[in-house]
Amino acid sequence: MEEENSSKEAANKPNNNNNNNNNNMEEENDVEEEAAEGCNSNNTCTLQQPLLLKRNRTLSSNPLALIGTKVSYIESLDYEINENDLFKHDWRRRSKLQVLQYVFLKWTLAFLVGLFTGLIATLINLAIENIAGYKFLVVTNLISKDRFLSGFLYFTGANFILTLIAAILCVCFAPTAAGPGIPEIKAYLNGVDTPNMFGATTLIVKFPTYRSLMESDYYAIAGFRMIIGSIGAVSAGLDLGKEGPLVHIGCCISSLLAQGGPDNYRLKWRWLRYFNNDRDRRDIITCGSSSGVCAAFRAPVGGVLFALEEVATWWRSALLWRTFFSTAIVVVVLRAFIEICNSGRCGLFGSGGLIMFDLSNAVVRYRVMDVIPVTIIGILGGILGSLYNHLLHKVLRLYNLINQKGKMHKLLLALSVSLFTSACQYLLPFLAKCRACDPNLLDACPTNGRSGNFKQFNCPDGYYNDLATLLLTTIDDAVRNIFSSSTPSEFSIFSILVFFALYCVLGLVTFGIAVPSGLFLPIILMGSAYGRLLGIIMGPYTNIDQGLYAVLGAASLMAGSMRMTVSLCVIFLELTNNLLLLPITMIVLLIAKTVGDCFNPSIYEIILELKGLPFLDAHPEPWMRNLSVGELVDAKEPVVSLCGIERVDRIVDVLKNTTHNGFPVIDEGVIPSVGFSNSVIELHGIILRAHLVLALKKKWFLREKRRTEEFEVREKFDWVELAERELKIEQVAVTSEEMEMYIDLHPLTNTTPYTVVESISVAKALVLFREVGLRHLLVVPKYEAAGVSPVVGILTRQDLRPYNILSAFPHLARSKSAGKQH
């Protein structure tokens, strides 16, 4: 990306820090000597030290990132309110009726987001349950006739075809639909424009060259493919969940509603103009993310807290109300759908269709001594969660190398994983011994249907195969079976160990293939397995049911991998419908997160880094306080500024020869109304590249150098047009005669940009940049004097990323390492 970095300067991020050793030894030794001179005995440096002398190279960045499975050019979003003359005029003339219309529209869109997300979630669940149900019915019928080979071929072939459909849609039509989509959503809400993520093409694959978020005809098709792809991937029995795609789908719906639909069919209603900006669209997409989690788990409060804790960077009370309203609508839709299906009008749709692992009837009893196994589960969850993150990081790096080889390699990778998964799910149950049915059980035993807790598989009448119960079923039913309470002898230790080992492998090799996928359920499966295993071992010494141990194990692994606490706690309470689990669940989550944080970042942070998305973390690195923003901007190319009334040829030259997206507007010879008798240099504000291109397109030219009147501007521009960003300078034609004319930039300039003094630390600047949601941060000089420019430089998102700073100031990395040792 970005505003202040030329594409010629953009450098691909190295795979490891060893790539920084390309400088010759002489330069490296000089840097080390200077760094040693500038730091005290505690290996810390002060703001006053000449850090530029220690600079390794100029500050650079990479404008490319991996969106889904597609490399895209990325930019920042304009979450800051652009207070130019047009905006101020429109704000002054808004009536109370228009303000009420704006508020009413926000609530209406929140309602529609919840409604459509709930409807699409029911469609996905209905399709998955029926497709998987008929598949398992045919397989069990063949097995009951001892046609095991035919059952294997049918099972493997059906899964192969379903995976092929999902993979083709993702590889050939909508690459951004692959994966969970949650890291890209986090980046978008953090201020990164993730192109092609929220469109209709992406939507269909899970139910879009660079294009602006506004170009949604491509998005509309992509979204529909997201739906189809998610149905195919989950129905194929892959170790994937549908919660990630559902979150992505909710965000796609939000984006399409806010902009009035796809480009070719976009509604041009005037009241939709209120959402023709990144700031309001961010709020609607936040509602979509919470609605997606709610649709996946039937957890309305958990969905809101998930958006607050994990996804959203910027939050306020009004947004909290609207997200809660959206999730409430989703729950109402899902509940109505359940009532319809309970009447038998949904085909093979069963209790597994809408996830809820009801443990309300389970007896929850625990003593003080039960804190010991609960603590062990939390520690195991933190260790195994961080280990899973580490190994998945390695697998994803390998998959990236494979995917770079082309579409065919992506397809072959997905299909290979499908064949391996099908073979393991079908053949491993033959290793388990048949177990006799307990005559005291209330549930049917054995069962031969599409679902059930005691699958007969290859066993005689009166016996069941416990491993087949876990493997030859949908992933939702597998979790439901392993969560089952009051069944202490249902599963053997051998079967649980095989199940745990298999899904550890599948959880690593499946995530990252070119299909829509979610991480929640695979991690729940792994965690519930070792939780149940510990419950079996602790059986004689504890009052906690084995099914509850499985729940605690799932919660601990999710906290150890994803590093969430509050939202996970509420989601599990809503999933299990048992409030008595609250105290021990809280203990497990806190321990697991604390242990996991000791080893590596969360899985979503790791994926963000792998994809190259410039996500700004909430907490600055400690060494950032040793560097001032003045020293940081000195490591960049000189800032390019424009005059308040600028020649057309100068503007065209700047737009064609730079990739900057923001330019300071400076006026010389200004005589202030009070305080100064002589003329001064005025920083009028900052103007965006898109607004300059729009002025050229509309021929906003003056034959003489003068300020324009307010009525002239309103006749030529509408503030709604200023939100459009798809125009490029290459699309604008300017004649040689027009090149000699002038443009008055004052009406289009944001006159209230955020500024910092050059002496402020990078840590403070990062906090301001992230909390306000800026795209540009102007750095002004500490001292004023004649001939001194009012702008020292501009900081952008890429300039504040730790990796880019350390690349330019390598001695900071060494002082950081030394600080850790001390």
Side-chain angles (χ1 to χ4, degrees):
M1 173 179 129
E2 188 53 49
E3 292 80 359
E4 289 299 312
N5 298 293
S6 167
S7 59
K8 295 180 181 179
E9 299 170 347
N12 289 330
K13 181 175 179 180
N15 290 333
N16 52 60
N17 292 333
N18 294 331
N19 293 342
N20 290 331
N21 297 326
N22 295 330
N23 300 318
N24 59 53
M25 292 296 296
E26 190 173 355
E27 291 175 336
E28 214 168 71
N29 292 333
D30 290 342
V31 170
E32 290 178 0
E33 290 174 5
E34 291 164 348
E37 292 171 3
C39 299
N40 58 29
S41 59
N42 295 325
N43 292 295
T44 59
C45 304
T46 62
L47 292 177
Q48 288 77 24
Q49 294 161 9
L51 295 180
L52 291 179
L53 297 178
K54 311 174 188 68
R55 192 169 77 227
N56 190 36
R57 56 177 178 173
T58 57
L59 192 64
S60 62
S61 62
N62 184 9
L64 301 177
L66 193 64
I67 310 298
T69 58
K70 179 181 180 181
V71 177
S72 302
Y73 185 89
I74 55 174
E75 291 186 1
S76 287
L77 295 165
D78 294 311
Y79 287 156
E80 178 189 1
I81 296 177
N82 198 318
E83 294 183 345
N84 52 38
D85 291 348
L86 287 169
F87 172 84
K88 294 174 182 177
H89 174 75
D90 178 80
W91 190 261
R92 288 193 300 266
R93 60 191 292 268
R94 281 189 183 182
S95 63
K96 289 184 178 180
L97 179 62
Q98 288 177 315
V99 173
L100 290 175
Q101 185 185 50
Y102 171 63
V103 174
F104 174 76
L105 183 58
K106 280 190 172 183
W107 286 96
T108 302
L109 288 179
F111 169 80
L112 293 176
V113 167
L115 176 65
F116 288 120
T117 304
L119 290 175
I120 290 179
T122 56
L123 170 65
I124 291 176
N125 283 300
L126 185 63
I128 290 173
E129 288 296 303
N130 278 279
I131 293 173
Y134 282 110
K135 178 184 70 178
F136 284 119
L137 281 179
V138 174
V139 172
T140 54
N141 183 52
L142 292 172
I143 291 174
S144 64
K145 299 176 181 178
D146 294 336
R147 298 173 60 185
F148 296 110
L149 180 59
S150 299
F152 174 72
L153 294 176
Y154 179 86
F155 182 72
T156 306
N159 291 340
F160 184 90
I161 293 172
L162 290 169
T163 305
L164 180 63
I165 294 172
I168 287 178
L169 289 173
C170 286
V171 170
C172 301
F173 298 100
T176 55
I182 293 178
E184 289 86 350
I185 295 167
K186 279 174 62 78
Y188 180 87
L189 296 178
N190 190 255
V192 181
D193 189 359
T194 49
N196 310 340
M197 275 300 293
F198 304 122
T201 50
T202 303
L203 181 63
I204 296 176
V205 170
K206 286 193 173 182
F207 157 27
T209 117
Y210 169 75
R211 290 192 180 190
S212 154
L213 187 64
M214 303 287 289
E215 292 186 85
S216 58
D217 50 340
Y218 182 74
Y219 301 153
I221 303 169
F224 178 67
R225 291 171 188 155
M226 193 194 309
I227 300 173
I228 304 301
S230 179
I231 293 172
V234 179
S235 300
L238 296 174
D239 186 22
L240 302 169
K242 51 182 178 285
E243 67 288 334
L246 277 174
V247 173
H248 196 172
I249 286 168
C251 294
C252 288
I253 293 170
S254 304
S255 179
L256 292 169
L257 287 173
Q259 60 201 33
D263 260 357
N264 293 341
Y265 308 99
R266 185 187 296 181
L267 299 177
K268 300 296 183 179
W269 296 339
R270 183 164 178 77
W271 47 268
L272 279 173
R273 72 187 186 278
Y274 295 130
F275 294 91
N276 199 21
N277 63 85
D278 294 329
R279 188 183 182 89
D280 284 315
R281 195 177 299 113
R282 171 188 62 185
D283 291 354
I284 298 300
I285 288 177
T286 303
C287 292
S289 65
S290 60
S291 298
V293 173
C294 176
F297 296 112
R298 274 201 307 175
V301 180
V304 175
L305 293 176
F306 174 81
L308 171 62
E309 182 179 7
E310 181 63 22
V311 178
T313 297
W314 189 79
W315 197 264
R316 68 185 192 280
S317 59
L319 183 58
L320 174 67
W321 302 338
R322 282 194 294 275
T323 54
F324 186 68
F325 178 62
S326 293
T327 57
I329 299 302
V330 173
V331 170
V332 171
V333 172
L334 296 180
R335 188 62 204 174
F337 178 68
I338 291 173
E339 293 298 327
I340 295 174
C341 290
N342 285 340
S343 63
R345 289 181 285 177
C346 296
L348 294 179
F349 185 88
S351 59
L354 292 169
I355 301 174
M356 189 166 184
F357 312 123
D358 193 356
L359 294 176
S360 57
N361 295 324
V363 178
V364 181
R365 293 178 301 182
Y366 39 84
R367 303 169 299 183
V368 176
M369 293 302 296
D370 290 326
V371 173
I372 297 176
V374 168
T375 303
I376 294 173
I377 288 181
I379 295 173
L380 281 175
I383 295 174
L384 294 178
S386 58
L387 178 61
Y388 176 75
N389 291 356
H390 175 74
L391 295 176
L392 187 60
H393 182 202
K394 303 297 183 184
V395 173
L396 291 177
R397 289 170 66 92
L398 175 62
Y399 280 8
N400 283 341
L401 296 176
I402 297 175
N403 291 335
Q404 288 174 7
K405 296 183 179 180
K407 295 181 178 179
M408 186 56 65
H409 287 79
K410 294 180 184 179
L411 286 174
L412 291 176
L413 178 61
L415 295 176
S416 300
V417 171
S418 174
L419 291 174
F420 175 74
T421 302
S422 300
C424 291
Q425 289 176 337
Y426 189 90
L427 298 177
L428 286 179
F430 286 101
L431 301 177
K433 295 181 179 179
C434 294
R435 299 171 67 87
C437 293
D438 187 347
N440 298 321
L441 286 174
L442 299 178
D443 297 333
C445 179
T447 58
N448 289 305
R450 54 164 296 280
S451 62
N453 216 28
F454 302 93
K455 290 288 185 69
Q456 184 173 2
F457 193 58
N458 61 333
C459 298
D461 293 339
Y463 290 81
Y464 70 97
N465 188 311
D466 58 343
L467 191 52
T469 300
L470 297 174
L471 296 181
L472 283 180
T473 186
T474 62
I475 193 169
D476 293 350
D477 280 333
V479 175
R480 187 170 290 102
N481 292 341
I482 203 169
F483 277 6
S484 61
S485 59
S486 302
T487 54
S489 59
E490 178 180 357
F491 301 105
S492 65
I493 293 180
F494 173 79
S495 295
I496 295 294
L497 283 174
V498 172
F499 177 81
F500 175 65
L502 173 63
Y503 273 93
C504 283
V505 174
L506 293 181
L508 290 172
V509 302
T510 307
F511 189 80
I513 63 175
V515 296
S517 57
L519 270 174
F520 277 69
L521 284 178
I523 292 177
I524 287 176
L525 277 176
M526 289 185 285
S528 61
Y530 73 73
R532 183 111 191 178
L533 184 62
L534 184 61
I536 295 174
I537 296 173
M538 294 293 298
Y541 311 103
T542 182
N543 289 333
I544 302 178
D545 188 88
Q546 292 180 14
L548 302 184
Y549 269 108
V551 174
L552 296 177
S556 69
L557 190 60
M558 289 192 71
S561 176
M562 298 183 176
R563 312 295 157 77
M564 294 184 291
T565 53
V566 179
S567 57
L568 275 183
C569 185
V570 175
I571 287 174
F572 270 92
L573 291 181
E574 292 179 297
L575 274 176
T576 57
N577 197 24
N578 197 325
L579 193 60
L580 295 176
L581 284 172
L582 178 61
I584 54 178
T585 303
M586 292 173 64
I587 294 173
V588 163
L589 291 174
L590 289 172
I591 295 174
K593 183 186 184 304
T594 303
V595 173
D597 285 336
C598 297
F599 296 99
N600 51 31
S602 73
I603 186 61
Y604 290 132
E605 292 178 20
I606 290 174
I607 296 173
L608 282 167
E609 181 184 357
L610 277 175
K611 288 178 174 288
L613 291 167
F615 182 87
L616 295 182
D617 194 68
H619 306 289
E621 297 286 346
W623 51 263
M624 287 184 174
R625 300 196 180 277
N626 300 330
L627 183 69
S628 71
V629 295
E631 292 163 324
L632 193 60
V633 296
D634 279 341
K636 301 178 59 177
E637 293 295 322
V639 64
V640 179
S641 60
L642 299 172
C643 297
I645 303 174
E646 188 63 86
R647 281 174 59 100
V648 174
D649 57 352
R650 161 73 172 159
I651 294 174
V652 172
D653 179 65
V654 166
L655 293 178
K656 286 187 175 180
N657 294 302
T658 69
T659 59
H660 310 338
N661 281 303
F663 305 91
V665 177
I666 298 173
D667 282 330
E668 297 183 1
V670 177
I671 301 179
S673 56
V674 292
F676 295 89
S677 57
N678 299 324
S679 62
V680 296
I681 300 176
E682 176 195 15
L683 171 60
H684 189 73
I686 186 171
I687 189 167
L688 299 179
R689 166 183 285 267
H691 297 170
L692 292 174
V693 177
L694 182 65
L696 294 174
K697 177 191 175 185
K698 285 184 166 286
K699 307 294 183 182
W700 175 242
F701 303 146
L702 303 172
R703 294 191 177 277
E704 66 276 2
K705 192 174 183 179
R706 66 176 179 86
R707 294 285 292 263
T708 54
E709 300 295 334
E710 187 175 334
F711 73 90
E712 295 180 272
V713 182
R714 293 202 307 270
E715 288 177 356
K716 198 74 174 180
F717 296 97
D718 188 315
W719 71 272
V720 176
E721 295 177 309
L722 299 183
E724 300 287 344
R725 293 188 285 124
E726 68 268 18
L727 273 178
K728 305 296 179 186
I729 182 60
E730 293 77 15
Q731 300 171 329
V732 179
V734 182
T735 66
S736 57
E737 181 183 357
E738 292 170 338
M739 287 286 192
E740 305 297 324
M741 297 183 182
Y742 296 90
I743 295 181
D744 181 13
L745 302 180
H746 295 96
L748 305 178
T749 301
N750 178 10
T751 57
T752 59
Y754 283 88
T755 61
V756 292
V757 182
E758 61 180 334
S759 58
I760 195 174
S761 69
V762 174
K764 281 189 174 182
L766 174 60
V767 172
L768 173 65
F769 196 98
R770 185 183 187 275
E771 293 299 322
V772 183
L774 300 179
R775 188 178 188 182
H776 305 95
L777 182 61
L778 299 185
V779 181
V780 297
K782 184 177 181 180
Y783 304 103
E784 295 183 1
V788 176
S789 172
V791 179
V792 176
I794 297 182
L795 291 179
T796 64
R797 171 176 298 272
Q798 290 279 17
D799 302 328
L800 296 172
R801 295 189 68 197
Y803 177 84
N804 293 337
I805 297 175
L806 291 177
S807 297
F809 300 92
H811 79 282
L812 290 174
R814 288 191 285 272
S815 65
K816 171 187 174 184
S817 301
K820 286 184 177 180
Q821 292 174 2
H822 286 281

